[in-house]
Amino acid sequence: MKNAVETYFGFTKPPFPHCVASSDMMEHSGLKELLARLQMAVRDQSIALVIGQGGMGKSSSLRKFRDTLDPNRYNILAISNPASGLTGICRDLVRRLGHEPSYFKPHLVTQLREALQLQAARDRQNIILCDESGSLTDDWLRDLRMILSADLDAIQYATLILAGDYTLKERIRMACHESLRGRIRFRYEFRPLDLSQTKEYVSHYIRLAGYRGESIFSDGFLARMHEYTRGVPRAINQACLLALLACTIRETRIADETIWTIVQTELEQS
């Protein structure tokens, strides 16, 4: 059932959805660069680090990357609960690799490594993908070498992709993680959208919602919104949805600077 905003503007799908299909994401230059770096990490079976503040689209971008991979060739192991600690993560991964995890903690790392080796021997490349990696314990981060490689010089059994916010970046700079830091071959840090990208972003998701009329958002609105949201996609989505609602209530088809004043007031009161 359409809501009032969708009916008023003639949208065929909800605009600025919370979760967008990877095929519908706007492929701006930053996303293309991220995908290229992750593809190189997979090719080299190395470690990649993806950093960005909340709302920048890390999770959606990682889902986009995952959807580009052939499941018959790649064994994608997403860590579902990074806060569960070394034991919990190892047990979960061992179970998903088709083995019954050991009850003895000292055996788990060896068991996981052997399970990854077995998959590699079957010509299935392992990719361990961890969003919200800032929740990983220091023990897990320190033991990565033993899990991923046969020796201290080469990563052979899995590609590891760690994604998190700036606290993860700072943790990896700590002396206790010097070995891990030295083994991260590919890095990507999300940057806010500039004004041009913001305009393209808004236009893309309005078209995706099925709108084919004249431009809804004025240049003045977009400029002020970009300055306020600092180019963060999640904040842009929220501002645009509030603007569409304000336009619907006031029966206007243009979100101009007057509408922006209303939106800003609501954002600052929330």
Side-chain angles (χ1 to χ4, degrees), residues 66-79:
R66 185 185 61 198
D67 290 347
T68 67
L69 300 172
D70 181 356
N72 295 314
R73 181 180 176 187
Y74 298 101
N75 192 34
I76 305 164
L77 301 164
I79 295 177

Side-chain angles (χ1 to χ4, degrees), residues 48-260:
L49 179 66
V50 179
I51 297 296
Q53 70 181 82
M56 291 300 299
K58 292 191 305 297
S59 297
S60 298
S61 299
L62 291 174
R63 189 174 68 250
K64 172 81 171 180
F65 168 69
R66 185 185 61 198
D67 290 347
T68 67
L69 300 172
D70 181 356
N72 295 314
R73 181 180 176 187
Y74 298 101
N75 192 34
I76 305 164
L77 301 164
I79 295 177
S80 57
N81 183 13
S84 61
L86 178 65
T87 301
I89 291 171
C90 286
R91 283 179 176 157
D92 179 54
L93 293 179
V94 167
R95 190 174 290 112
R96 287 162 62 190
L97 286 164
H99 304 272
E100 185 61 32
S102 171
Y103 285 98
F104 299 100
K105 181 177 178 180
H107 297 168
L108 273 172
V109 169
T110 299
Q111 189 180 22
L112 175 55
R113 188 173 59 201
E114 290 174 349
L116 291 170
Q117 282 182 272
L118 184 58
Q119 289 291 318
R122 294 171 177 170
D123 292 327
R124 291 198 74 202
Q125 187 173 340
N126 299 297
I127 300 173
I128 299 176
L129 178 60
C130 185
D131 198 1
E132 305 303 331
S133 296
S135 299
L136 292 172
T137 65
D138 286 332
D139 285 344
W140 202 93
L141 290 171
R142 282 195 298 265
D143 287 342
L144 283 175
R145 290 187 306 173
M146 292 187 293
I147 294 171
L148 298 177
S149 62
D151 52 51
L152 300 183
D153 298 320
I155 297 173
Q156 298 180 356
Y157 306 138
T159 297
L160 177 67
I161 299 172
L162 299 172
D165 60 18
Y166 293 105
T167 60
L168 174 65
K169 182 179 179 180
E170 293 304 315
R171 280 184 65 197
I172 289 177
R173 287 177 173 172
M174 295 169 59
C176 62
H177 298 310
E178 182 178 357
S179 176
L180 170 62
R181 185 170 65 252
R183 291 174 180 274
I184 296 172
R185 295 196 61 191
F186 299 96
R187 292 170 170 81
Y188 180 81
E189 188 167 323
F190 278 82
R191 302 294 183 187
L193 302 179
D194 61 25
L195 179 57
S196 176
Q197 290 172 326
T198 295
K199 290 180 178 179
E200 184 182 356
Y201 179 92
V202 171
S203 177
H204 173 82
Y205 286 104
I206 286 294
R207 291 196 305 272
L208 194 63
Y211 184 75
R212 296 295 181 267
E214 297 294 325
S215 178
I216 296 173
F217 299 95
S218 72
D219 287 342
F221 176 96
L222 291 170
R224 294 185 64 182
M225 180 190 67
H226 176 263
E227 181 179 11
Y228 185 86
T229 63
R230 300 180 180 178
V232 176
R234 183 186 296 165
I236 293 170
N237 290 350
Q238 184 182 15
C240 287
L241 285 172
L242 289 175
L244 293 173
L245 179 59
C247 287
T248 301
I249 293 170
R250 289 158 183 80
E251 298 185 346
T252 177
R253 297 279 178 174
I254 299 295
D256 56 15
E257 292 183 68
T258 299
I259 294 293
W260 169 251

